[in-house]
Amino acid sequence: DLAETCANEPWNFQPKKDEALAGRVRELAEADLRAAYKLTGKQDRSQRLDEIKTKVKGSFAEGQYDDKTIGGQLKKLEQEILADKFWKEHGVAYSAVRPTGVYGPRGVYGCGQMLMDMHKMKTVMMPSNFTARIPWVHVKDVTKSALFLATNQKSDGQAYNLNDDTIMTTLEFGKYMSEIAGHSFVKLPPLPTSVVRPVVATVASLIQFVSINFLKKSPKLEADSVQYLGRDFAYSNDKLKKLGYKFSYPDAKVWIKETVDWYQKNGWL
């Protein structure tokens, strides 16, 4: 297999994504954007779109996200809405897929970076109140489900969450990773995430600025990632499974170790 033989060096590609922000933007803007694109007058439509974008950006606390990041999520949502509109008007089939936390061999961003960083910790420490759930989906299920939907006419014009059946809290994840690595695990007293999050975000912003502008390398901790801290993420995959899709990797608790083993085998850990 060419990929197994040759793809041993991580490609340090760092796309920006934030499921928390994407969900909030969708909640704030989707209905208004769909209504705006029904306006036939170009000037009226453009004015309404500007109003919606201003409203959405003003809905976030100052410094929580920059305008460029929010604008990027708005653009993705607009593209999905326009694809849906084009399909209905011209009969061009499409399906929208929404992967959550993608993991698997060769993963270097998001969940992949989290797995590698957690594995390197000699002692994993986690507050006892970190019971928010972490969403997972294996990269092979992302590609397999996309092919499945592309060949199933019942999926035309529909959007699907790509998330497996795993139920794993942040606390459970920390303990599990310590067991895989053979390191100790310490459960800490509860910490108020609403207080910790802005402090960690400030530190992360500083690390990110120094890493990118002076060290000329990707930061170990990104400011956007801090927004996940203490937030509960749960996505239903019922719609996809009712269509007949069966996950090849339904439980991340089983397959995370396979991913870590791949990192070690290929010298990434």
Side-chain angles (χ1 to χ4, degrees):
D1 184 273
L2 181 62
E4 290 291 343
T5 303
C6 301
N8 291 331
E9 292 300 321
W11 179 29
N12 195 20
F13 175 59
Q14 297 288 335
K16 292 291 184 181
K17 74 171 188 176
D18 189 326
E19 284 87 358
L21 174 59
R24 182 61 177 149
V25 167
R26 181 176 296 277
E27 180 183 326
L28 290 168
E30 183 172 15
D32 288 339
L33 286 173
R34 288 188 181 279
Y37 277 110
K38 290 180 181 179
L39 297 174
T40 55
K42 183 177 180 180
Q43 185 173 349
D44 291 340
R45 184 169 62 249
S46 296
Q47 181 178 340
R48 181 58 184 141
L49 290 173
D50 288 340
E51 291 172 353
I52 295 168
K53 293 171 185 177
T54 300
K55 182 196 76 172
V56 171
K57 291 177 180 179
S59 299
F60 293 93
E62 185 176 355
Q64 185 177 3
Y65 296 102
D66 58 51
D67 285 353
K68 183 178 180 180
T69 302
I70 298 172
Q73 292 295 340
L74 279 165
K75 181 60 66 176
K76 290 179 182 179
L77 179 57
E78 284 186 82
Q79 290 169 349
E80 185 176 314
I81 290 171
L82 286 171
D84 181 62
K85 183 173 183 289
F86 192 83
W87 168 69
K88 290 176 178 176
E89 292 177 353
H90 302 282
V92 178
Y94 87 100
S95 299
V97 292
R98 300 170 181 164
T100 55
V102 182
Y103 75 99
R106 303 180 187 84
V108 296
Y109 176 77
C111 289
Q113 187 64 58
M114 181 172 64
L115 291 177
M116 287 188 280
D117 289 345
M118 189 77 76
H119 191 274
K120 293 174 184 176
M121 293 181 181
K122 299 302 181 185
T123 300
V124 178
M125 297 182 287
M126 198 74 66
S128 60
N129 64 321
F130 275 35
T131 56
R133 290 163 291 181
I134 303 174
W136 301 95
V137 63
H138 195 282
V139 63
K140 289 186 178 179
D141 269 316
V142 175
T143 55
K144 177 187 169 186
S145 61
L147 290 171
F148 170 81
L149 292 171
T151 56
N152 192 316
Q153 290 185 346
K154 293 181 180 179
S155 72
D156 291 352
Q158 300 294 312
Y160 296 86
N161 294 330
L162 301 186
N163 191 76
D164 65 22
D165 298 324
T166 306
I167 299 177
M168 184 190 296
T169 67
T170 307
L171 185 66
E172 291 169 339
F173 171 65
K175 189 173 187 301
Y176 176 63
M177 288 302 297
S178 70
E179 293 171 353
I180 289 177
H183 298 157
S184 58
F185 176 78
V186 178
K187 184 188 292 186
L188 300 173
L191 287 176
T193 55
S194 59
V195 175
V196 173
R197 192 183 299 118
V199 175
V200 178
T202 300
V203 174
S205 295
L206 179 60
I207 292 174
Q208 184 170 307
F209 178 81
V210 172
S211 297
I212 293 174
N213 294 285
F214 296 99
L215 303 179
K216 305 301 180 182
K217 64 180 185 180
S218 299
K220 287 294 184 182
L221 179 63
E222 293 189 341
D224 286 350
S225 300
V226 177
Q227 300 302 324
Y228 292 110
L229 184 62
R231 301 188 191 278
D232 189 40
F233 293 95
Y235 300 86
S236 172
N237 58 21
D238 288 347
K239 184 176 179 181
L240 180 60
K241 290 198 291 188
K242 285 179 180 177
L243 202 61
Y245 182 76
K246 294 183 179 180
F247 283 87
S248 297
Y249 300 80
D251 190 349
K253 293 176 184 176
V254 176
W255 299 104
I256 283 175
K257 186 178 186 306
E258 178 202 53
T259 300
V260 172
D261 288 344
W262 188 94
Y263 289 148
Q264 291 179 311
K265 178 183 176 181
N266 290 274
W268 292 23
L269 279 175

